[in-house]
């Protein structure tokens, strides 16, 4: 006798843990998933950034090679995406720290914060890059 024999067999069996395809994507869910993705991306890209730091410590010739790559168009693109990922993940972490205190847990507030998450991370990343470029070219603060 199986565990299901006492149940009405005409009832459609539901999974115990519904898959993501069951749920309608909402901003808080999307930001939660994106927060996890950016965390994984930061983990796997850390050796890439560390290699640049090691090149600085290893001497001028290795640094020139590494810096040549990071100053190229593809290197700049990679660094821009890395900085966006870092800022986006940091904003999500700050949001989690605030919510851990019991603040901003309501549905409307959480949704508003989730909708502001991507534009804020893009704006902050752009600001960082504009200010760093201005400092490098001599037009900085």
């Amino acid at each position: 006798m199986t565990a299901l024999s006492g149940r009405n067999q005409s009832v459609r069996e539901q999974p115990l843990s519904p898959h993501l395809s069951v749920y309608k994507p909402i901003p808080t869910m999307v930001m939660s998933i994106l927060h996890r993705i950016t965390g994984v991306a930061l983990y796997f890209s850390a050796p890439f950034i560390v290699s640049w730091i090691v090149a600085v410590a290893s001497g001028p010739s290795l640094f020139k090679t590494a810096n040549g790559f990071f100053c190229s168009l593809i290197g700049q693109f990679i660094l821009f995406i890395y900085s966006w990922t870092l800022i986006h993940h940091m904003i999500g972490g700050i949001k989690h720290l605030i919510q851990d205190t019991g603040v901003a847990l309501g549905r409307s507030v959480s949704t508003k914060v989730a909708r502001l998450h991507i534009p804020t991370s893009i704006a902050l990343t752009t600001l960082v890059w504009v200010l760093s470029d201005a400092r490098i070219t001599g037009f900085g603060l």
Side-chain angles (χ1 to χ4, degrees):
M1 197 169 194
T2 66
L4 296 176
S5 62
R7 300 174 103 191
N8 184 353
Q9 294 297 325
S10 65
V11 175
R12 192 174 127 216
E13 291 296 321
Q14 296 293 320
L16 294 177
S17 180
H19 190 267
L20 287 175
S21 63
V22 174
Y23 297 108
K24 175 185 168 195
I26 58 174
T28 52
M29 180 178 93
V30 172
M31 287 304 103
S32 176
I33 293 167
L34 193 54
H35 183 75
R36 294 162 198 256
I37 291 170
T38 57
V40 170
L42 288 170
Y43 176 81
F44 285 109
S45 61
F48 185 68
I49 300 303
V50 168
S51 69
W52 196 11
I53 297 168
V54 169
V56 170
S58 297
S61 63
L62 191 56
F63 173 70
K64 186 176 180 182
T65 303
N67 204 44
F69 172 74
F70 283 106
C71 289
S72 70
L73 189 59
I74 194 162
Q76 291 289 294
F77 177 74
I78 290 169
L79 287 174
F80 184 82
I81 296 300
Y82 178 81
S83 59
W84 174 79
T85 303
L86 184 64
I87 289 171
H88 189 276
H89 195 75
M90 179 191 66
I91 291 170
I94 291 169
K95 179 195 70 120
H96 282 289
L97 283 173
I98 292 169
Q99 288 180 332
D100 285 346
T101 65
V103 177
L105 293 175
R107 179 180 283 179
S108 64
V109 175
S110 292
T111 301
K112 287 176 188 175
V113 169
R115 288 177 195 232
L116 288 172
H117 202 129
I118 289 180
T120 303
S121 64
I122 291 170
L124 286 174
T125 303
T126 304
L127 180 66
V128 165
W129 275 76
V130 167
L131 290 177
S132 66
D133 188 50
R135 302 254 321 153
I136 291 169
T137 58
F139 296 110
L141 307 170

